[in-house]
Amino acid sequence: MIQQFADWLIYDLFGIDATTHLGEALNFFVYDTLKIVLLLFLISSIMGVVNAYFPVERLRNFLNSRKLYGLQYLLASVFGAVTPFCSCSSIPLFIGFVKGGIPLGVTFSFLITSPLVNEVAVAMFAGTFGWKVTMIYVVSGVLLGTVGGYLLGRMRLEKYLSEWVQQIQHSTDGEEEWEGEDTTLLHRLPLILRESWNIVRGVILYVIIGIAIGAAMHGYVPEGFFETYMSGEHWYAVPLAVILAVPMYANAAGIVPVVEVFVAKGVSLGTALAFMMSVVGLSLPEATMLKKVMSMRLILIFFGTVAFSIILLGWMFNITL
């Protein structure tokens, strides 16, 4: 429905040719803006209901328990793998996790894996490269989230969250009046929706800027640009692929056909997979949106850790596949 509205608005109402760079960029911008804003409000509302009824303190204590021996990072990574979100769509859940007091490293495990692995991309990957490569990619994505979240969690980076996040972490917003009360959802819903809208208002500018950057890249990057610079077996092909991928913005399902073209034109599979992981997990639009919830230092640490891990995986894939 959202895609149909975007097509009608750009191609029918405004009369812009769908085959032009401008048409592609504007259509992408309208569709992703509406999708992410609606998803942001919906997920924020759901998380509001969960926070109102679910014993977050018990969950927080469970995830902080030493008895898990790091299993909480794997659980968060697997949860990220089964949620069909792109990197920008995952941010509302990230905010909800942090607001609920879930350990930061665990939320990073979710944020890393969620855009990398989803059921649509897995199905497309299997049809294109076979189940062996698909399983290697899925397992690598989950392990990347698990190890990355663990390493980031050990760094004690909570102090680098933005002041806005720290404020909503300590904001009760009327929750005290529900303590010990058997309050109905209908009674709580107006406050939950109001809190959700406040979250949307707080990040919407960053969402629009991020999607605008992605739309420009989507519509105007010259065809064949990346294949030219990533072909060959040079050691720097993987790091270069990661660097070139950062300005891009697409979900995993959307980038699989591009990876297929790369491989067909001589790009090594490991290099192509590193490019795919970086596009969906390290995009510049994602960094723009994360600026609302993280300091620049935390964003650089997060991106640097994930980028280094992806480069290592890309080299390993090129050697073994």
Side-chain angles (χ1 to χ4, degrees), residues 19-202:
T19 61
T20 63
H21 294 305
L22 179 63
E24 290 183 9
L26 290 177
N27 185 278
F28 184 93
F29 176 78
V30 171
Y31 170 74
D32 261 50
T33 299
L34 292 176
K35 180 190 71 174
I36 291 176
V37 168
L38 289 174
L39 185 62
L40 174 60
F41 181 76
L42 175 63
I43 294 177
S44 298
S45 300
I46 293 173
M47 292 303 297
V49 173
V50 172
N51 288 336
Y53 286 96
F54 192 79
V56 176
E57 184 66 30
R58 186 183 305 170
L59 176 62
R60 180 164 57 243
N61 292 339
F62 173 77
L63 290 175
N64 281 318
S65 173
R66 293 185 178 181
K67 295 180 181 179
L68 292 176
Y69 300 107
L71 185 61
Q72 63 269 38
Y73 299 99
L74 177 61
L75 293 175
S77 189
V78 171
F79 178 62
V82 300
T83 53
F85 300 139
C86 64
S87 58
C88 297
S89 305
S90 302
I91 293 175
L93 274 177
F94 177 86
I95 296 173
F97 288 171
V98 173
K99 183 179 179 183
I102 306 302
L104 186 59
V106 176
T107 65
F108 274 129
S109 289
F110 168 82
L111 186 63
I112 293 171
T113 305
S114 181
L116 293 180
V117 183
N118 63 65
E119 64 275 14
V120 177
V122 168
M124 295 177 64
F125 224 86
T128 303
F129 298 107
W131 283 108
K132 179 182 177 181
V133 175
T134 300
M135 291 307 300
I136 291 174
Y137 176 79
V138 171
V139 172
S140 298
V142 172
L143 288 179
L144 178 61
T146 302
V147 176
Y150 174 78
L151 293 176
L152 291 166
R154 298 287 292 178
M155 295 179 189
R156 308 295 182 188
L157 301 169
E158 287 79 5
K159 61 183 177 182
Y160 298 120
L161 290 170
S162 70
E163 292 184 5
W164 180 74
V165 171
Q166 295 182 32
Q167 288 174 358
I168 65 174
Q169 278 184 312
H170 296 94
S171 174
T172 55
D173 291 317
E175 291 179 7
E176 300 95 334
E177 66 184 73
W178 293 339
E179 294 294 331
E181 295 184 17
D182 186 18
T183 313
T184 65
L185 177 60
L186 186 62
H187 180 262
R188 300 185 183 194
L189 193 58
L191 180 57
I192 291 172
L193 294 179
R194 186 162 63 249
E195 291 177 2
S196 301
W197 178 241
N198 287 337
I199 290 177
V200 173
R201 287 196 308 170

Side-chain angles (χ1 to χ4, degrees), residues 5 8 10 54 64 66 113 132 134 142 169 204 222 233-234 244 253 263 267 275 279 303:
F5 174 78
W8 170 80
I10 301 302
F54 192 79
N64 281 318
R66 293 185 178 181
T113 305
K132 179 182 177 181
T134 300
V142 172
Q169 278 184 312
I204 192 169
E233 300 295 334
H234 306 293
L244 292 175
V263 174
V267 177
F275 176 84
V279 167
F303 269 48

Side-chain angles (χ1 to χ4, degrees), residues 243-254:
I243 294 172
L244 292 175
V246 170
M248 300 294 292
Y249 172 56
N251 58 33

Side-chain angles (χ1 to χ4, degrees), residues 230-241 268 271 311 314-315 318:
M230 292 192 302
S231 296
E233 300 295 334
H234 306 293
W235 68 268
Y236 56 78
V238 174
L240 182 61
S268 300
T271 304
I311 290 172
W315 281 336
N318 279 342

